[in-house]
Amino acid sequence: MKIGIVGSGFVGSTAAYAMVLQGVGSEFVLVDINRKLADAHAQDILHATPFAHPARVAAGDYEDLKGADIVVIAAGVAQKPGETRLQLLERNAQVFADVVPKVCQNAPKAILLIATNPVDVMTQVATRLSGLPPERVIGSGTILDTARFRALLGEYLGVSPQSVHAYVLGEHGDSEVLIWSEARVGGVSVFDFANQINRPITEEVRKQIDDGVRFAAYRIIEGKGATYFGIGAGLARLARAILSDERAMLTVSILTEEVEGVAEVALSLPRIVGRQGVVTTLPVKLSEDERRALRKSAEILKQVATQLGY
């Protein structure tokens, strides 16, 4: 299976590396405006294949994306310390106006995975520019926020994050919504489980975990300039679900007909992902507070996309 990576910076190169280590895909093409950077990353990743899984890894141009099953678009300008994802919008929309048509011209059958921030609006921009059905233009959305939520809950409760079933919906950003009402550990309400082990989830604990999830990117960017390990692993997870036709439930972003009364907006909901992209979107059971918060998140994203003309 062939995977293209457009944008070979921190996120794109880390995603390719994670995919090679996990054996997701057999051929990789890295495309970047800086060809030397793409060449360097391709060689470095190729040298890791003897320790992982066999794969062909090379730098290339847009023409080399022909036959790709998936194209990850991670091209764009970097988020600056203190800059919100939404502030990146205008600069990265200009990048996409150049990149997306070239990708679609050379890999018309590929599923697009969007990683450029602000990812929800960029997913909507990419969907409009490509003309593809929304289910084939998938933003990484809150897949990373969901992972952060599960990791922090697992750490607090002393259980594996794989045993925690909880998710984050809405924007991948400041207005995201942590769904506490449906959080579970092995099928048991996270609140009941916490009480059973004498680790109650108080309002203070909830706030600490919420802050740890919602503002993680700002802290990481302040410390090392960019986030890439977590999202690289998340993109590899998405690619595996697609190539294996896994039909996994993942919180990803696509242009959605209606969310809590807000029409035509891209944000994350629980969705089944397989070989054709997003197969279906699952109905969401929310508390009234969560429902209001999700609507607010949708309204914020809708307003920004509308102002941009998408």
Side-chain angles (χ1 to χ4, degrees):
M1 295 291 189
K2 184 174 181 178
I3 299 175
I5 310 284
V6 178
S8 299
F10 287 123
V11 171
S13 61
T14 304
Y17 181 56
M19 291 175 195
V20 167
L21 289 185
Q22 295 181 30
V24 178
S26 58
E27 180 180 0
F28 297 84
V29 178
L30 276 60
V31 178
D32 197 278
I33 192 171
N34 183 345
R35 180 58 182 260
K36 286 187 177 180
L37 178 66
D39 277 323
H41 279 310
Q43 290 181 50
D44 203 9
I45 294 169
L46 179 66
H47 299 162
T49 57
F51 308 114
H53 299 269
R56 288 172 288 171
V57 186
D61 296 316
Y62 287 98
E63 292 79 6
D64 299 304
L65 296 174
K66 290 179 180 177
D69 299 282
I70 293 172
V71 175
V72 176
I73 301 182
V77 293
Q79 186 173 4
K80 300 175 182 178
E83 182 181 38
T84 69
R85 294 181 179 93
L86 294 178
Q87 289 172 329
L88 286 171
L89 181 56
E90 288 189 1
R91 292 190 293 152
N92 280 333
Q94 293 174 359
V95 173
F96 269 39
D98 177 62
V99 167
V100 172
K102 292 177 181 177
V103 170
C104 293
Q105 180 182 353
N106 291 282
K109 295 183 178 180
I111 291 175
L112 306 185
L113 296 186
I114 310 301
T116 302
N117 276 322
V119 70
D120 301 293
V121 180
M122 296 313 299
T123 298
Q124 186 155 341
V125 170
T127 304
R128 300 299 196 201
L129 289 171
S130 68
L132 293 172
E135 61 268 19
R136 288 180 54 198
V137 184
I138 305 173
S140 55
T142 58
I143 190 171
L144 177 55
D145 307 280
T146 290
R148 288 167 174 161
F149 191 19
R150 293 176 180 181
L152 293 180
L153 277 172
E155 187 176 70
Y156 176 76
L157 297 171
V159 299
S160 166
Q162 281 81 7
S163 296
V164 178
H165 303 282
Y167 43 84
V168 178
L169 305 181
E171 178 199 359
H172 171 54
D174 295 348
S175 71
E176 64 190 27
V177 186
L178 280 67
I179 308 302
W180 286 94
S181 66
E182 289 297 305
R184 298 280 186 272
V185 176
V188 178
S189 163
V190 70
F191 297 103
D192 291 342
F193 182 89
N195 290 333
Q196 289 170 14
I197 63 170
N198 295 317
R199 293 280 288 169
I201 298 177
T202 62
E203 284 301 315
E204 182 180 356
V205 169
R206 282 185 60 161
K207 185 179 186 306
Q208 289 175 348
I209 291 176
D210 187 287
D211 287 351
V213 174
R214 192 180 307 275
F215 304 117
Y218 294 113
R219 297 187 181 100
I220 293 169
I221 291 169
E222 183 180 2
K224 67 174 191 175
T227 65
Y228 41 90
F229 292 137
I231 191 56
L235 289 165
R237 178 69 185 92
L238 261 173
R240 184 169 82 241
I242 293 167
L243 296 182
S244 301
D245 196 20
E246 191 174 334
R247 301 193 170 222
M249 194 286 282
L250 300 167
T251 54
V252 293
S253 181
I254 66 170
L255 182 59
T256 307
E257 184 176 348
E258 184 269 333
V259 179
E260 294 298 323
V262 180
E264 293 290 307
V265 62
L267 48 61
S268 287
L269 295 171
R271 308 187 197 268
I272 303 300
V273 179
R275 189 65 184 87
Q276 303 305 313
V278 170
V279 178
T280 190
T281 297
L282 301 177
V284 184
K285 183 179 180 181
L286 304 175
S287 69
E288 285 304 311
D289 286 344
E290 290 165 349
R291 194 171 297 282
R292 283 192 293 269
L294 183 60
R295 178 180 175 83
K296 180 180 178 182
S297 188
E299 289 172 341
I300 290 170
L301 292 167
K302 176 68 173 182
Q303 180 181 10
V304 175
T306 300
Q307 289 175 346
L308 193 67
Y310 290 91

